[in-house]
Amino acid sequence: MFTPRNHRGVAVAALGMVATLTLSACSSGQEATKPGGGDVIGKVDGKISLTYLQKQGDQEYFVGEAAGAKAKAEELGIELKVVNLGSDANKTISEVQSAIAQKTNGLIAVVPDPAVGPQLVQTAKDGKTALLTSDDQICTTGPDPSVCDRDALVPRIGFSGAQMGGEVGKRAAEEFKKAGWKPAETRTISAWKQDVTVCSDRVNGAKKAFKDGAGADVKNIDVATDNTPTGAQDKIAATVTANSGVKHWIMWGCNDENVQGGVTALENAGFKADDVIGVGLGAYLACKNWSSGKPSGMKAALFINGSDVGALAVQTMYDKLKNGKEFPKEAFASTKMVDASNWKASGVTCS
């Protein structure tokens, strides 16, 4: 997806907007953040203008997220601009600077690379613009959110990575027990881009839930990918080749892309659907397997509705700017497990 860049040159004391934004009324009528801020974010009395910056804006999940944000903005009378950053981390800062120059009141960002976090926070602080993230976390004090102090994480709207992974691992364990496979002949694959914090949360949650629910010791293989179907397919194909004695495979990952890539790799390697258990995360690719009506190694997927996240992010920013309501450290949308029997009724849209 992208190459991390380091912005360690920004001093900690200069970084504004920490994870919890506590507001206090000032004589000027504006509200200041604490602690370590110094930036002043005022209430907006007139029409609110927001900018939603998304990585991979053409991906089905993010298309839905943008649609949900736009619908909520229209409902609330907000002027909203959605920007597709693609996978270009450099574009993040230039688009933020452009939005601030155009007098946007608030920024909601899904960054292509968490390493831009400190610079993004500083830019928003300098522009006295409220900042909220959706989906992925960023840190005010360093490039890696996974080693960031909780109080230095920017407020985030999205899904609970640990909870999502737990649901995936639980379903994988159920499918494993139903299949009746021998543990010695089975391997699990955990596939994800390993420098993305929310991905690690999901995978670790899946590992734990599977171990708790499987009632057997199945060896796991971690596979580092770029979170794309082709990237995952290539890496998992190599893993399967290196483990030729394995008869049955179970897969989960950060998203549908990883599991879809793995299912394809196993199909190409000659494994039948009955020897593969894939549990996706997103359902927007998994549903393609089910729509054909043919047996598939993709047994289930956790449906995450991007529209709900987009709407919740806009509502949260509105509450902050219009009513002075404190940002939550994190706020989560709901999820649902789907499979070939119920994905249509659940409202899943295939990409």
Side-chain angles (χ1 to χ4, degrees):
M1 296 197 306
F2 34 77
T3 302
R5 294 170 175 81
N6 198 329
H7 300 286
R8 297 182 186 275
V10 181
V12 173
L15 296 171
M17 196 159 296
V18 296
T20 304
L21 301 182
T22 305
L23 309 175
S24 59
C26 302
S27 58
S28 64
Q30 294 179 314
E31 298 174 339
T33 61
K34 75 158 194 179
D39 53 317
V40 179
I41 307 298
K43 287 185 181 181
V44 178
D45 294 326
K47 190 179 184 69
I48 292 175
S49 173
L50 301 181
T51 303
Y52 209 129
L53 303 113
Q54 296 178 306
K55 70 178 183 181
Q56 300 171 322
D58 56 351
Q59 186 193 75
E60 185 65 33
Y61 170 83
F62 291 115
V63 170
E65 183 177 75
K70 291 174 182 176
K72 178 59 68 173
E74 183 176 357
E75 175 189 328
L76 297 173
I78 292 172
E79 180 183 329
L80 176 69
K81 180 181 180 181
V82 177
V83 179
N84 180 11
L85 301 174
S87 298
D88 188 350
N90 288 329
K91 189 176 180 181
T92 305
I93 302 304
S94 63
E95 289 291 349
V96 167
Q97 291 170 336
S98 175
I100 291 173
Q102 294 172 27
K103 307 300 182 184
T104 194
N105 302 118
L107 297 162
I108 305 170
V110 195
V111 298
D113 186 338
V116 304
Q119 189 176 358
L120 172 56
V121 171
Q122 183 65 48
T123 304
K125 172 184 179 291
D126 291 344
K128 296 181 172 58
T129 305
L131 175 64
L132 183 67
T133 63
S134 71
D135 304 291
D136 298 346
Q137 289 180 314
I138 62 172
C139 180
T140 68
T141 56
D144 185 357
S146 67
V147 297
C148 185
D149 185 273
R150 180 171 172 78
D151 286 338
L153 291 169
V154 174
R156 181 179 77 93
I157 306 298
F159 298 98
S160 166
Q163 182 178 358
M164 285 194 299
E167 291 299 317
V168 168
K170 177 182 176 182
R171 180 59 179 259
E174 292 171 358
E175 295 288 343
F176 168 69
K177 293 197 304 189
K178 184 167 65 175
W181 298 341
K182 294 179 180 179
E185 298 175 345
T186 307
R187 295 290 185 272
T188 63
I189 287 179
S190 301
W192 80 108
K193 191 171 190 302
Q194 297 178 356
D195 64 349
V196 179
T197 311
V198 293
C199 288
S200 297
D201 291 343
R202 296 171 188 178
V203 167
N204 290 335
K207 288 180 182 179
K208 182 179 185 306
F210 180 82
K211 184 176 181 180
D212 292 345
D217 186 16
V218 179
K219 184 179 178 180
N220 175 74
I221 302 173
D222 288 341
V223 178
T225 74
D226 61 0
N227 278 351
T228 68
T230 54
Q233 181 179 336
D234 291 345
K235 293 296 182 68
I236 291 173
T239 300
V240 172
T241 300
N243 292 270
S244 57
V246 177
K247 296 182 178 180
H248 314 290
W249 291 94
I250 303 169
M251 286 178 301
W252 52 70
C254 179
N255 52 20
D256 258 22
E257 284 82 349
N258 281 286
V259 183
Q260 182 64 62
V263 168
T264 302
L266 286 163
E267 287 177 352
N268 292 344
F271 284 84
K272 296 180 179 179
D274 287 344
D275 292 316
V276 179
I277 295 172
V279 182
L281 205 161
Y284 46 84
L285 293 182
C287 57
K288 285 186 173 182
N289 296 272
W290 306 325
S291 62
S292 69
K294 298 178 181 178
S296 172
M298 186 75 80
K299 296 300 190 290
L302 190 67
F303 177 33
I304 56 176
N305 192 344
S307 178
D308 292 344
V309 172
L312 182 56
V314 169
Q315 181 70 61
T316 302
M317 183 64 81
Y318 175 87
D319 291 342
K320 161 74 169 70
L321 294 174
K322 183 61 67 173
N323 305 316
K325 184 177 179 181
E326 181 179 333
F327 281 144
K329 288 186 177 182
E330 289 186 300
F332 302 133
S334 60
T335 61
K336 181 180 181 179
M337 187 64 68
V338 296
D339 54 30
S341 69
N342 67 351
W343 68 272
K344 288 184 179 180
S346 299
V348 176
T349 301
C350 285
S351 65

